[in-house]
Amino acid sequence: MPSHDTNVIRIETTPGKFAIESLRKAKIELENIFLDYLNHDGCIGRLFYDLASSCQYLHPQRGRTCVYQRNPWQPNEMGYMTVVEVPYSHDDNKSHTLHLLSKKSRTLSRVRSVGCTIKIVNKRGRVITNWVACKHYAWVWGHKPGDVDDAVQILNDANIEHMKTCGCHLPRLRVTQRSTQDSWDLCIRSDIV
């Protein structure tokens, strides 16, 4: 049973040969509703990733860290995506992202060199989220799962190096998923530790 601070979305269909297609249509319709409701807020990258990763029957193509899903900022484009947590400070609860974007660290150019793009989503950057429940993150996009997995490793290494000198930490997230061929549940709980 989900706790009071867990959000649950449940979509069911009648078992049968059209069950997966019915789930796919319902998921796309739900995504479109979220896009309209959230007015393309930066949280849609995390939301689309969570939706795709929660259902292996609708998104069987995966890498080590990524899922095949439509791009929430370009909904007609398909590719591989993932979310990388960014460090934050316990003292002021602000996210640390400059180490990912600075020319000195070359993190951004290294991510681009493996064929990926990233969007840093926070309250004061180019991609802004105003939703308090959406922890700041780096959204990674590419056309090959191996490229996205490589980009994740680059970002994780940059985060580790930054945290060694800064003393900041990564948030801890717990995602519970359950899917069958005729139903789909997504439970997301976020905790700052």
Side-chain angles (χ1 to χ4, degrees):
M1 178 103 182
S3 67
H4 71 281
D5 59 350
T6 301
N7 300 308
V8 178
I9 298 169
R10 181 167 181 83
I11 298 173
E12 290 183 333
T13 186
T14 305
K17 72 180 196 179
F18 299 111
I20 290 178
E21 190 55 35
S22 294
L23 283 175
R24 184 180 325 281
K25 286 178 183 176
K27 184 195 75 77
I28 289 170
E29 190 172 320
L30 180 64
E31 289 171 350
N32 290 336
I33 290 168
F34 280 137
L35 284 173
D36 289 341
Y37 178 75
L38 296 170
N39 196 24
H40 295 276
D41 183 271
C43 67
I44 63 174
R46 181 185 294 276
L47 179 63
F48 270 50
Y49 171 75
D50 286 342
L51 290 171
S53 65
S54 72
C55 189
Q56 70 184 33
Y57 290 102
L58 297 180
H59 299 274
Q61 297 171 304
R62 297 167 183 257
R64 285 188 328 271
T65 62
C66 59
V67 293
Y68 191 71
Q69 164 70 307
R70 68 184 181 143
N71 182 334
W73 285 279
Q74 300 290 326
N76 293 327
E77 182 181 17
M78 296 292 290
Y80 290 88
M81 72 168 67
T82 195
V83 168
V84 176
E85 302 305 325
V86 295
Y88 72 98
S89 170
H90 279 295
D91 299 334
D92 57 11
N93 210 23
K94 289 187 178 176
S95 62
H96 293 199
T97 58
L98 293 178
H99 66 284
L100 299 175
L101 301 173
S102 75
K103 289 184 180 183
K104 181 180 176 185
S105 72
R106 299 192 51 239
T107 303
L108 189 56
S109 65
R110 290 175 53 218
V111 167
R112 288 181 180 149
S113 74
V114 297
C116 293
T117 59
I118 64 170
K119 291 182 186 284
I120 304 295
V121 179
N122 58 25
K123 292 198 182 306
R124 55 188 188 278
R126 286 177 136 174
V127 183
I128 296 173
T129 183
N130 292 310
W131 290 87
V132 175
C134 182
K135 303 300 175 211
H136 302 169
Y137 65 97
W139 181 79
V140 184
W141 176 262
H143 291 286
K144 297 177 184 173
D147 293 348
V148 174
D149 291 338
D150 291 345
V152 167
Q153 188 61 52
I154 292 166
L155 293 171
N156 285 338
D157 291 346
N159 281 340
I160 290 168
E161 285 303 311
H162 175 74
M163 290 186 299
K164 283 180 186 175
T165 60
C166 178
C168 55
H169 303 279
L170 291 174
R172 190 171 4 172
L173 295 175
R174 284 181 251 143
V175 177
T176 306
Q177 321 169 62
R178 190 183 87 200
S179 66
T180 64
Q181 288 188 325
D182 52 53
S183 73
W184 171 52
D185 288 354
L186 170 65
C187 301
I188 305 169
R189 181 168 180 218
S190 174
D191 292 320
I192 294 289
V193 178

